[in-house]
Amino acid sequence: MTPLRLGYLYGFAAYLMWGFFPLYFKLLRPAGPLEILAHRVVWSVAFVALLLLAMRNIGFLRALLRRPRTLAGIAVAAVLIGVNWFTYIYGVNSDRVVETALGYFINPLVVVLLGVVVLRERLRPAQWWALGIGTVAVAVLTVDYGQLPYIALILALTFGGYSLVKKQLGLPAAEGLFVESAVLALPALGYLGWIATTGDIAFGQVSTAHTLLLVLAGALTAIPLLLFAGAANRLPLSSLGMLQYVGPILQLGCGVLIFHEPMPPARLAGFALVWLALIIFTADGFRQARRTRRQRPLVVSPAAAR
């Protein structure tokens, strides 16, 4: 299998898993969102630690401890992804899967906006149009919901901020996930200990299957991230950008077709505006990629010149 085909396989598998996450998190009730988050963090640390031990790659920690600015960046990334995970779990288990899907649809637009605000990047006209239409979509959805779609906005902002920090850190997927989860592990263990003493813990109290599902949260967090890293190393950015819509499309399908969440006309209009903004954004990205390839100078190797 060629590296390109393998990249598509890894990428599609990652987004397929993310797309069906609502089905998994629904199974974790009656555990509350905070308990599910705590288990996700703790078991992620355990799973990735075993993986790194198998790869004999624990030595990176020594080098990392000598880089305080990187450690500070990892702490910021950990807080952002922790808030993102909690919000997603809360959204799914409060029957708002459609709104969580919206968050990941508008995430690419938020990333562009962060590029302007934080990195002082200049946008092309089509990108401004996409952002404008996305803003109108949020306004339409606010009217439909009767309030700001805060779950979607928190998901988009936290994952956009997380992506920005991760890009600047440049850590490999497994190592990055291990350290981020480790930052959150102590408060997670503290919370699990506290609810165990109060008798409010669901772990080990519902069924064997439920307990195993909570333990599997670590592996199900790490595996799609590792698959995504494999795809990112093999695919062009434009192809990776198109794949990112697989996840929220599947999440939206879960919300509407499986969990029968309402999709009134106003909400559908808001989503249609989001999709229009994404079409403009994606088409502009392809056009810019083609222009860059055409403008790239042809480099002839000395061997070929002979």
Side-chain angles (χ1 to χ4, degrees):
M1 185 178 293
T2 65
L4 187 65
R5 288 186 179 180
L6 195 60
Y8 278 113
L9 180 63
Y10 285 160
F12 187 74
Y15 282 108
L16 192 68
M17 290 184 71
W18 282 327
F20 287 113
F21 261 18
L23 301 179
Y24 167 71
F25 284 114
K26 289 277 190 183
L27 295 174
L28 300 184
R29 294 185 295 188
L34 268 178
E35 182 180 353
I36 296 172
L37 173 63
H39 282 291
R40 189 175 185 182
V41 167
V42 169
W43 297 114
S44 291
V45 172
F47 178 81
V48 181
L50 289 174
L51 187 64
L52 292 173
L53 282 170
M55 296 165 57
R56 299 182 179 179
N57 197 22
I58 292 293
F60 81 97
L61 285 172
R62 288 193 296 271
L64 194 59
L65 291 172
R66 294 193 292 267
R67 297 160 59 189
R69 291 186 64 181
T70 301
L71 288 172
I74 290 171
V76 172
V79 171
L80 288 169
I81 201 62
V83 173
N84 181 273
W85 287 352
F86 172 78
T87 305
Y88 183 77
I89 295 164
Y90 172 79
V92 168
N93 285 345
S94 59
D95 300 321
R96 296 169 75 171
V97 175
V98 168
E99 193 176 341
T100 65
L102 174 64
Y104 290 107
F105 275 124
I106 64 177
N107 177 67
L109 303 177
V110 169
V111 171
V112 171
L113 183 61
L114 287 172
V116 173
V117 175
V118 179
L119 302 180
R120 305 297 181 187
E121 294 178 352
R122 296 183 64 182
L123 297 188
R124 297 183 293 276
Q127 291 175 311
W128 280 116
W129 273 104
L131 281 176
I133 294 170
T135 303
V136 173
V138 171
V140 170
L141 290 163
T142 298
V143 173
D144 173 64
Y145 281 110
Q147 60 182 12
L148 274 174
Y150 67 90
I151 288 177
L153 292 175
I154 292 172
L155 286 173
L157 288 168
T158 53
F159 199 75
Y162 175 75
S163 302
L164 178 66
V165 174
K166 290 283 284 185
K167 180 177 176 61
Q168 293 175 328
L169 291 174
L171 289 174
E175 289 85 341
L177 178 61
F178 174 77
V179 181
E180 289 157 15
S181 299
V183 169
L184 300 173
L186 192 59
L189 285 169
Y191 177 75
L192 290 174
W194 178 67
I195 60 173
T197 59
T198 61
D200 294 328
I201 195 167
F203 184 77
Q205 305 299 315
V206 180
S207 67
T208 303
H210 182 266
T211 301
L212 288 174
L213 285 171
L214 284 171
V215 173
L216 283 173
L220 290 176
T221 295
I223 289 171
L225 282 172
L226 297 174
L227 289 170
F228 177 78
N233 290 335
R234 292 170 175 84
L235 292 179
L237 191 60
S238 56
S239 300
L240 203 61
M242 288 301 295
L243 277 175
Q244 73 179 324
Y245 301 126
V246 171
I249 287 170
L250 291 173
Q251 290 174 25
L252 179 63
C254 288
V256 175
L257 301 176
I258 298 177
F259 302 127
H260 306 294
E261 293 185 15
M263 181 62 83
R267 193 167 305 170
L268 186 59
F271 269 86
L273 286 170
V274 171
W275 295 329
L276 175 60
L278 291 175
I279 290 169
I280 295 170
F281 175 76
T282 305
D284 177 71
F286 276 118
R287 187 165 53 248
Q288 184 63 24
R290 284 197 300 270
R291 186 179 298 124
T292 302
R293 283 197 298 269
R294 284 198 301 268
Q295 292 174 351
R296 188 177 297 153
L298 179 63
V299 179
V300 180
S301 69
R306 290 197 297 270

